[in-house]
Amino acid sequence: MTNPKAAPSSSNKKKGSNKTQSKQSNAKQQQSSNKQQSKSKPNLATLPPIESPNDYPELLESARSLTPQESREELLECARYGETDAVHAILEIHHAKTINTENSDLINTADSAGNTALHKAAANGHENTVSLLLCLGAKHIPNENGATPLHWAAGAGKHVVCQILLDHFDALSASAETATSSSSDVKSLDVLLKNSFGRSALTEAFTSGNTETVGVLLNHDSAEEEKLIGGIKKEEVDDTGDVEGGGEPKKKDEIVHEFDFSESDDVTRNGEERSVLIRELAISHPDNPFGQSAKDDTTGLSIWCASLIMARWLSSPSMRSRLQNKHILELGAGCAVPSLAAAVYSTPSSVTISDLNPETMDNIEHNIGLNSIKQCEVAACTIDWEDEATYPEKKMDYVICSDCIYQKDIVPLLKKVVLGTIKETPSEIDNNGPSFLYVAPEGGRDGLPEFISTMKSNGFKCVKEEFASESYRENPLKSGDEEECFLHFHELASTTYVLYEFQKC
């Protein structure tokens, strides 16, 4: 009943950097402007018409032939790909039979990760499918990681779906409050509700880069201004017990990923396969992740997919040979995936990993310790792009950075720190000039064209500007778990990334 499979839609996460005040200011202005406008009464979702009436009888016959298990599987798949008529047919035939059967609560059936048909339709922006599911009683429930359909729709920048979800449950809540037998479990949605990684739907909307989606969520009553300004308390240490061996206590809402960025079986050291361990933390104030100043920016506590592409690039055979005995600096490193990959898969002389936020720097130190790198010097370094006194004294052969440009006023700052940290001339044993490596999504970044233009002049030449290969966008988890990869890095496979190399000349 499903069409040929297509990649699900997803968002392009934006990596924070040293200049974030303008974006937050714009969001606050948008929130203030939106909430000053009068709001219309929220409406329940409306039942969409059958899209292909002539074909619908055949869909009903196909639905009748499905077993209970098949109907659950088909429902999830059809919702994912927006096959609204097929969803309607499955529910018309099987949903009425769900009471006291193995197909109980068919409309809210979930896959192994707890994702429902509403999750899948919302993530892909299928407005009619979402409306149909809501009209027929679909619940807005979280998956195993606490992410709701609203989280997924917001992260994918699907502002119309976000509005449908918010309006529907606002209307249901209002009806329940006035009914004589109100349903206490019917409530309005909360755009600040966090998943297990500390990310709210509003956080996901910010990182999607879709201003309309941000506006829809900011305009909702649950986006209370005092909560946005106050943020969320910093992560607390889990007091459930000490870590075995007297190690560091585990923090709440953390996950450690094991990545394998190798391209061939020969990437071993001392006969052992190599991998990179990275701890990712929940953003400490997710609904104001950029903070009041650059130092408050906690977006680096999360892993952004551009950094995975950079890690693949640095771990490729051609780059591994180039990095031997070189000095490497990563700017805006966040969780430090690329720089640690360079240290694990190659033999550089030194790797310096930098950011500005104190929590991010603590996590960088933690991730350095996780990987026990002995073949080269690896150090964390706090760098404020505006303050040259914080720059390392040692000049670098390679300066790397992943998706740190999202507005024009960052362009001169990034150019400044690159010029202030990279070597002026190539080494005596290498004819290639010192290089600045950059990875970013193909579009959707304000200021990126200006940055690329300025980097192609004033002492640099662009020697590489090409799309990342398909292999760079493959699942990087050592476990090979595709569901886990989609859960954490769902935009990796569906976003086009560009690799840039600028050499000193």
Side-chain angles (χ1 to χ4, degrees):
M1 297 179 68
T2 59
N3 292 326
K5 292 181 171 56
S9 305
S10 61
S11 63
N12 293 333
K13 292 181 178 177
K14 289 190 178 182
K15 171 68 174 71
S17 66
N18 270 12
K19 198 73 173 177
T20 57
Q21 293 171 328
S22 295
K23 186 170 183 181
Q24 186 200 358
S25 176
N26 292 339
K28 286 184 177 179
Q29 291 172 11
Q30 183 176 6
Q31 181 196 26
S32 176
S33 173
N34 286 342
K35 289 200 171 182
Q36 286 174 3
Q37 300 174 10
S38 61
K39 292 185 179 179
S40 59
K41 183 179 179 180
N43 295 314
L44 293 170
T46 57
L47 189 70
I50 300 298
E51 296 174 352
S52 301
N54 292 336
D55 297 331
Y56 192 65
E58 184 178 347
L59 288 174
L60 290 173
E61 287 302 314
S62 297
R64 287 190 182 93
S65 68
L66 298 175
T67 66
Q69 177 62 31
E70 289 171 341
S71 69
R72 291 193 293 270
E73 294 172 353
E74 282 295 311
L75 177 65
L76 293 173
E77 285 297 283
C78 293
R80 178 183 182 185
Y81 298 110
E83 297 175 7
T84 308
D85 285 356
V87 170
H88 203 159
I90 292 170
L91 292 173
E92 182 175 336
I93 297 301
H94 293 273
H95 193 40
K97 302 177 182 179
T98 59
I99 300 175
N100 299 323
T101 71
E102 62 179 297
N103 231 17
S104 180
D105 203 21
L106 169 64
I107 197 168
N108 295 309
T109 193
D111 62 18
S112 59
N115 303 308
T116 65
L118 190 57
H119 275 93
K120 295 173 184 285
N124 289 289
H126 301 313
E127 299 159 21
N128 282 348
T129 310
V130 168
S131 295
L132 172 67
L133 291 166
L134 293 175
C135 287
L136 297 181
K139 297 178 181 178
H140 189 262
I141 52 181
N143 62 18
E144 290 186 353
N145 285 287
T148 65
L150 184 62
H151 278 90
W152 279 29
K158 307 301 181 183
H159 68 280
V160 175
V161 168
C162 289
Q163 192 70 69
I164 292 171
L165 290 168
L166 292 169
D167 283 351
H168 181 80
F169 286 98
D170 279 351
L172 278 181
S173 178
S175 298
E177 289 176 1
T178 57
T180 54
S181 58
S182 61
S183 300
S184 59
D185 60 340
V186 179
K187 297 179 181 179
S188 293
L189 304 187
D190 184 354
V191 303
L192 303 184
L193 178 69
K194 295 184 293 181
N195 60 21
S196 60
F197 299 103
R199 297 177 67 82
S200 69
L202 183 56
T203 307
E204 297 291 359
F206 270 116
T207 56
S208 77
N210 185 290
T211 56
E212 290 177 293
T213 305
V214 173
V216 166
L217 270 65
L218 282 175
N219 197 38
H220 192 253
D221 287 341
S222 62
E224 298 175 8
E225 188 171 1
E226 57 268 25
K227 289 184 180 180
L228 290 173
I229 294 175
I232 308 299
K233 291 181 180 180
K234 291 185 178 181
E235 285 195 302
E236 300 172 349
V237 173
D238 191 345
D239 57 2
T240 56
D242 296 331
V243 173
E244 293 185 11
E248 183 180 339
K250 183 178 180 180
K251 290 190 174 187
K252 294 179 180 179
D253 300 329
E254 73 168 48
I255 184 170
V256 176
H257 303 282
E258 184 173 12
F259 295 108
D260 180 3
F261 296 112
S262 61
E263 289 191 0
S264 59
D265 295 336
D266 64 349
V267 186
T268 60
R269 180 171 284 120
N270 298 326
E272 297 181 358
E273 291 186 2
R274 288 177 273 178
S275 59
V276 180
L277 296 173
I278 298 291
R279 181 177 72 176
E280 180 178 20
L281 297 173
I283 295 175
S284 59
H285 42 88
D287 300 299
N288 185 10
F290 304 103
Q292 299 297 321
S293 68
K295 194 172 183 179
D296 299 330
D297 182 357
T298 60
T299 56
L301 297 175
S302 287
I303 296 173
W304 306 103
C305 285
S307 70
L308 301 177
I309 299 294
M310 175 68 82
R312 286 278 197 194
W313 188 11
L314 298 179
S315 306
S316 64
S318 60
M319 284 304 302
R320 292 204 308 267
S321 61
R322 291 178 59 186
L323 297 179
Q324 288 183 355
N325 303 316
K326 295 297 189 293
H327 299 288
I328 303 168
L329 167 66
E330 182 172 11
L331 299 171
C335 293
V337 181
S339 43
L340 288 173
V344 167
Y345 289 102
S346 187
T347 53
S349 179
S350 70
V351 175
T352 303
I353 309 172
S354 73
D355 214 298
L356 184 58
N357 176 262
E359 290 178 85
T360 303
M361 292 306 302
D362 287 346
N363 196 44
I364 288 173
E365 293 275 13
H366 181 88
N367 286 335
I368 291 173
L370 282 180
N371 289 278
S372 303
I373 298 165
K374 299 178 181 179
Q375 67 272 15
C376 69
E377 176 188 349
V378 180
C381 176
T382 300
I383 294 181
D384 184 339
W385 294 2
E386 294 185 286
D387 185 1
E388 295 181 24
T390 65
Y391 296 1
E393 293 184 8
K394 181 192 304 177
K395 299 298 182 181
M396 304 293 167
D397 298 292
Y398 288 90
V399 177
I400 64 175
C401 188
S402 305
D403 198 12
C404 284
I405 293 289
Y406 57 84
Q407 57 190 40
K408 293 178 183 177
D409 61 358
I410 298 176
V411 170
L413 277 176
L414 184 52
K415 180 73 177 286
K416 174 184 176 181
V417 70
V418 171
L419 286 171
T421 56
I422 200 167
K423 287 182 176 180
E424 288 294 329
T425 56
S427 65
E428 295 180 0
I429 60 173
D430 189 350
N431 293 326
N432 292 323
S435 291
F436 172 64
L437 308 180
Y438 191 73
V439 171
E442 181 183 12
R445 297 294 185 265
D446 183 39
L448 181 60
E450 290 81 2
F451 177 67
I452 299 305
S453 177
T454 192
M455 286 300 297
K456 290 179 178 179
S457 59
N458 302 321
F460 284 94
K461 61 180 178 179
C462 184
V463 297
K464 187 184 188 75
E465 183 175 354
E466 63 184 47
F467 294 131
S469 68
E470 290 293 328
S471 63
Y472 284 18
R473 299 190 291 139
E474 292 175 353
N475 182 358
L477 294 174
K478 187 175 179 63
S479 66
D481 190 322
E482 293 296 339
E483 286 192 5
E484 189 77 7
C485 181
F486 180 76
L487 203 62
H488 296 288
F489 314 114
H490 59 287
E491 71 275 17
L492 183 62
S494 59
T495 302
T496 300
Y497 295 89
V498 184
L499 315 179
Y500 299 94
E501 179 173 1
F502 303 94
Q503 285 186 353
K504 290 285 289 184
C505 55

